[in-house]
Amino acid sequence: MKWEENVRKIVPYVPGEQPEVPGMIKLNTNECPYPPAPGVQEAIKAMQSRELRLYPDPDARVLVEGLAEYYGLKKEQVFVGVGSDDVLSMAFLTFFNGDKPILFPDVTYSFYDVWADLYRIPYKTCALDGDFHICPQDYKRPNGGVIFPNPNAPTGVYEPLKLVEEIVEANRDVVVIVDEAYIDFGGESALPLIQKYDNLLVVQTFSKSRAMAGMRIGFAMGNEKLIRYLSDAKFSFNSYTMNRPALTLGAEALKDRAYFEEITGRIVTTRERVKGELKKLGFMFPDSLTNFIFATHERIPAARIFQALRERNIYVRHWDKPRISDYLRITVGTDEEMDTLLSFLREYI
């Protein structure tokens, strides 16, 4: 049809399954297995109809100010959005507008190439080494911007802050985005580097470590000029990107640091125990500093294990993609959930 000539055609991102199966164990989308902070749950009960009836604050002040206080920043250094996907998409639109290709790893978050195609941004991928680590030399060439997750997804591999700074330092003439969706489960954030580098944007989320994936809260931190450019793009697109409940509940979650540390610590402890058990069963994986394990078996194809787990209503993630088609990404659930997974794997293997 003639009108299709003017349609922007994109191969979309494919999110993890959201099945509704009674008694299932859901370990496929890296959600937190524990509830949000008690204060968040109390705030939900106290909400009134006005939270739905009135427009939200377009400046998202209650959440922006809460994040600025929590991370020791000025409010002008914080930008919030509807999940880190919204924040990252806005950053692509805002900062990656040159003629040179942007750079990101070949095995990484699979939304990056989708956004690049959507916004018609040229890009090149840089191959991770045999152990799924970034090769910093690959990012020391002319480019229109750089983005990478740290720790990486789906591999779980963390790069030390020294390597991150090496890449930022080598690219002072473009914006470098470090996507830290999983930083709360291990490693050192690049956040302190924003005081030294005006071209660095650090993006995080409430979806994983703060148990609020359903609320869709993400945020970026950088120098005031970067944040102002992001805000200008947002207000040219949609003034009311975040709803009132999300702003209120996000700010409430930041108040309970003890609970945050408790549940992230619990997930890390479970992760380390499960690593040891998987090794006994013949699994191999890069050392993960996230809330998931990216594992391959020494002799049984990942696709077979994936299907066998699915038939037992245990959901993990599998991609039929180059380099990672024989890996499963297994979210760290509760100890009880992981024990059920391990019990089945012992029987199956």
Side-chain angles (χ1 to χ4, degrees):
M1 286 174 269
K2 191 71 175 175
W3 56 264
E4 285 189 284
E5 295 176 6
N6 297 317
V7 173
R8 181 167 298 193
K9 301 177 183 69
I10 304 294
V11 178
Y13 170 78
V14 180
E17 254 187 301
Q18 296 292 340
E20 294 291 341
V21 180
M24 69 176 177
I25 295 179
K26 190 171 183 296
L27 306 175
N28 67 327
T29 50
N30 299 341
E31 295 143 322
C32 181
Y34 303 109
V40 173
Q41 299 175 62
E42 290 302 315
I44 291 172
K45 294 175 186 176
M47 280 186 176
Q48 300 176 358
S49 62
R50 69 190 303 271
E51 297 296 331
L52 303 180
R53 182 174 60 82
L54 300 178
Y55 278 113
D57 171 16
D59 293 315
R61 281 169 293 186
V62 66
L63 181 56
V64 167
E65 290 171 3
L67 285 163
E69 181 180 356
Y70 189 92
Y71 289 101
L73 303 170
K74 293 184 283 187
K75 67 181 188 298
E76 293 81 8
Q77 292 178 283
V78 179
F79 175 89
V80 298
V82 187
S84 59
D85 287 341
D86 178 49
V87 174
L88 288 165
S89 176
M90 196 66 67
F92 269 63
L93 181 67
T94 305
F95 300 121
F96 296 159
N97 287 292
D99 296 326
K100 297 173 184 174
I102 64 169
L103 306 176
F104 49 83
D106 65 333
V107 179
T108 194
Y109 187 32
S110 50
F111 232 139
Y112 295 164
D113 58 346
V114 174
W115 287 322
D117 288 337
L118 177 63
Y119 299 131
R120 298 178 178 172
I121 301 167
Y123 69 91
K124 288 185 179 178
T125 59
C126 304
L128 300 176
D129 70 15
D131 296 317
F132 294 127
H133 279 281
I134 285 174
C135 304
Q137 287 301 124
D138 291 341
Y139 297 85
K140 297 178 181 179
R141 53 176 161 164
N143 66 76
V146 173
I147 182 169
F148 58 91
N150 196 37
N152 194 13
T155 65
V157 172
Y158 168 76
E159 303 293 356
L161 197 56
K162 183 178 179 182
L163 182 145
V164 174
E165 184 168 11
E166 182 181 348
I167 292 174
V168 178
E169 175 64 45
N171 290 281
R172 296 302 298 271
D173 57 342
V174 298
V175 173
V176 177
I177 302 173
V178 181
D179 180 358
E180 293 188 337
Y182 300 98
I183 196 63
D184 294 324
F185 301 104
E188 189 176 358
S189 172
L191 182 59
L193 297 179
I194 69 172
Q195 309 299 347
K196 184 176 178 181
Y197 297 98
D198 63 0
N199 62 318
L200 173 62
L201 193 73
V202 176
V203 178
Q204 296 187 14
T205 178
F206 280 53
S207 295
K208 317 301 181 185
S209 56
R210 296 192 185 276
M212 296 179 72
M215 277 276 82
R216 311 307 298 128
I217 302 172
F219 58 102
M221 299 170 285
N223 84 80
E224 295 175 37
K225 184 176 282 190
L226 284 179
I227 299 304
R228 189 162 62 249
Y229 282 135
L230 267 178
S231 296
D232 289 347
K234 167 198 168 181
F235 282 107
S236 302
F237 186 80
N238 181 357
S239 299
Y240 303 109
T241 56
M242 296 196 69
N243 63 65
R244 289 175 67 96
L247 295 175
T248 299
L249 300 178
E252 192 63 43
L254 293 167
K255 297 176 183 177
D256 198 337
R257 193 183 293 263
Y259 182 80
F260 166 75
E261 292 175 351
E262 176 192 340
I263 63 169
T264 53
R266 199 183 303 176
I267 289 167
V268 168
T269 298
T270 303
R271 178 190 73 200
E272 296 306 305
R273 177 178 71 86
V274 172
K275 284 181 186 177
E277 295 302 316
L278 287 175
K279 285 179 181 176
K280 294 176 187 176
L281 292 170
F283 284 94
M284 300 169 286
F285 41 83
D287 188 33
S288 172
L289 290 186
T290 64
N291 67 338
F292 62 84
I293 300 167
F294 193 58
T296 182
H297 195 265
E298 59 188 4
R299 58 184 174 81
I300 304 174
R304 277 177 53 192
I305 300 174
F306 172 80
Q307 188 58 39
L309 286 166
R310 186 185 177 87
E311 289 169 4
R312 289 288 187 95
N313 288 335
I314 302 173
Y315 291 82
V316 298
R317 194 83 192 264
H318 175 250
W319 288 271
D320 187 15
K321 289 186 173 183
R323 298 192 69 185
I324 62 171
S325 61
D326 211 24
Y327 283 82
L328 300 172
R329 193 190 67 186
I330 306 167
T331 302
V332 177
T334 63
D335 280 314
E336 293 75 17
E337 289 173 331
M338 303 313 286
D339 285 342
T340 301
L341 169 79
L342 291 168
S343 178
F344 170 77
L345 290 174
R346 290 187 191 103
E347 172 192 328
Y348 180 74
I349 290 169

